[in-house]
Amino acid sequence: MKTVTARAPINIALIKYWGKKDRVEVLPFQPSLSLSLDIFETKTTIKEVNLKGFHFLINGKEDEEVKRKTEKFIHLFDSNLSLEGIQIETNNTGPTAAGLASSASGFAALAVAANHFFGFHYNLDKLAAITRKGSGSAIRSLLPEAVAWYPEGHIKAIEFPFDDVVLGVIIINDQKKSIGSTEGMKLSVETSPEYQEWVKQSFIDFEQFQEGLKEENFNKIGQISEDNALRMHHVCETTTPSIHYLSKKSYEVISFIQKIRKNKHFEAYVTMDAGPNVKVLTKIKYKKQIEEMLHHQGIEILWSGIDTKGAVIIDG
Ligand code: 2P0
């Protein structure tokens, strides 16, 4: 019986995506640029089974809502596709404490597995156009290392010249559940007076970040990333109703990292997404000291390297 397994990494954007210019095609207003990370991956198996109907398991359990979303996503390939006698199993492997959303790696792994299993064999552009309809940021999990996603919809692998870069995830648990990113970015587009400026500056950040990569200037890419993330959160905070993903504790951790950069000359920069956790972009040589300093304050950090595989078939 036929079986296909794919895996995909999560990704963290250093130049953020925050707003769609086309919500049907899922086209962003601004280019974004991410790193695929090896801390967490999704493995998805699609197989033929001797059972009636369509079967779905996520982390070993049934989940009707995710099952429906999965079916809907598969039908983006072909609305007439039958899932009779098919089972899809998806597993997220990585520290659950990291609070890293699995939707990006999930849709990327599912897209690659379905493309192969059902015999579509679409090229990257076509596959990317389907994947981003699952979740915009999932498109960037199709490729390893550094990935650019353009407002026209396509993605491109970007040469990442550093082999000593790590990303730490600082766990901050003191936040109530906030608005989801899909709804949050829609409100920002509609109401934030800073939105136009954010889009304009994102294009500049995207260009300058790539200059920094060409110059192999880590401090340049770090500073651009940090400023871009803080600007995105400013857009959220100036949205009506105001969106606060960052908590008091998040801001304390951000200040702490900025302080060790200033006082100890550590090359360490922060980036934050649609939640309170703070991610630290730094180099291997600072890992131990940053970890110890945070530990003294009762704060935990989990480290990730850069994923070198991207979304690929690993079996079948
Ligand atoms: C990013 N985020 O670039 C930004 C930064 C969150 C903050 O992409 O509506 O879940 O499915 O396209 O992909 C999260 O947005 O939103 C996201 P949809 P998605 O990583």
Side-chain angles (χ1 to χ4, degrees), residues 12-301:
I12 296 290
L14 299 179
I15 306 294
K16 308 289 185 190
Y17 148 53
W18 196 252
K20 296 176 186 67
K21 65 177 180 192
D22 184 329
R23 285 194 278 132
V24 177
E25 287 303 316
V26 187
L27 297 175
F29 268 111
Q30 62 288 111
S32 58
L33 200 150
S34 61
L35 294 179
S36 290
L37 300 180
D38 64 7
I39 190 175
F40 187 108
E41 68 176 7
T42 300
K43 278 188 187 163
T44 299
T45 299
I46 308 183
K47 61 183 176 192
E48 290 171 346
V49 284
N50 277 325
L51 296 166
K52 284 208 179 309
F54 168 51
H55 298 264
F56 178 80
L57 292 172
I58 177 161
N59 300 326
K61 295 195 188 99
E62 290 180 358
D63 183 320
E64 281 307 315
E65 193 188 335
V66 187
K67 183 183 180 184
R68 264 196 305 278
K69 279 189 192 162
T70 301
E71 247 181 301
K72 197 172 153 205
F73 181 75
I74 300 273
H75 284 132
L76 294 171
F77 282 86
D78 177 352
S79 55
N80 294 317
L81 207 66
S82 167
L83 291 174
E84 181 60 34
I86 301 289
Q87 177 159 307
I88 297 184
E89 290 170 24
T90 185
N91 290 293
N92 297 316
T93 59
T96 43
L100 296 164
S102 56
S103 66
S105 51
F107 282 113
L110 181 61
V112 168
N115 194 32
H116 193 73
F117 182 89
F118 295 106
F120 292 105
H121 303 296
Y122 289 147
N123 66 17
L124 183 64
D125 279 349
K126 177 85 176 152
L127 193 61
I130 293 173
T131 307
R132 65 175 190 253
K133 289 186 180 175
S135 180
S137 54
I139 193 175
R140 299 185 310 234
S141 281
L142 289 173
L143 296 175
E145 297 179 32
V147 186
W149 177 27
Y150 297 86
E152 296 78 22
H154 61 289
I155 48 170
K156 196 175 114 189
I158 300 288
E159 175 78 25
F160 193 70
F162 308 103
D163 59 6
D164 57 347
V165 165
V166 285
L167 197 124
V169 182
I170 298 175
I171 317 297
I172 293 170
N173 292 318
D174 63 348
Q175 177 91 337
K176 287 181 238 101
K177 194 153 172 53
S178 193
I179 186 167
S181 4
T182 307
E183 186 56 21
M185 62 178 83
K186 178 174 176 282
L187 287 172
S188 291
V189 172
E190 289 167 357
T191 68
S192 172
E194 306 293 333
Y195 197 77
Q196 290 311 318
E197 185 55 31
W198 152 252
V199 173
K200 202 172 132 206
Q201 188 60 41
S202 295
F203 277 90
I204 298 169
D205 290 351
F206 183 72
E207 288 309 318
Q208 290 186 344
F209 188 99
Q210 289 184 82
E211 268 174 38
L213 289 179
K214 285 201 186 93
E215 295 159 7
E216 301 190 19
N217 183 342
F218 182 74
N219 288 312
K220 184 166 173 174
I221 66 156
Q223 192 64 59
I224 294 168
S225 303
E226 184 169 303
D227 293 346
N228 180 272
L230 289 168
R231 205 174 298 115
M232 185 197 93
H233 286 278
H234 178 64
V235 169
C236 291
E237 283 159 16
T238 56
T239 293
T240 308
S242 188
I243 304 167
H244 296 272
Y245 289 124
L246 302 177
S247 65
K248 188 164 167 274
K249 182 103 177 275
S250 312
Y251 280 111
E252 282 167 14
V253 168
I254 293 167
S255 299
F256 174 76
I257 298 295
Q258 289 172 334
K259 220 172 282 165
I260 60 171
R261 188 165 76 230
K262 190 159 177 265
N263 300 339
K264 292 179 176 283
H265 307 289
F266 278 26
E267 299 167 275
Y269 298 86
V270 296
T271 184
M272 295 75 60
D273 295 291
N277 288 347
V278 176
K279 289 109 188 176
V280 183
L281 182 72
T282 188
K283 292 188 167 180
I284 293 173
K285 63 181 172 189
Y286 303 111
K287 238 174 101 167
K288 197 156 170 273
Q289 281 169 283
I290 292 177
E291 190 171 317
E292 279 170 7
M293 284 187 286
L294 289 168
H295 189 73
H296 277 299
Q297 303 175 39
I299 299 168
E300 200 192 340
I301 184 163

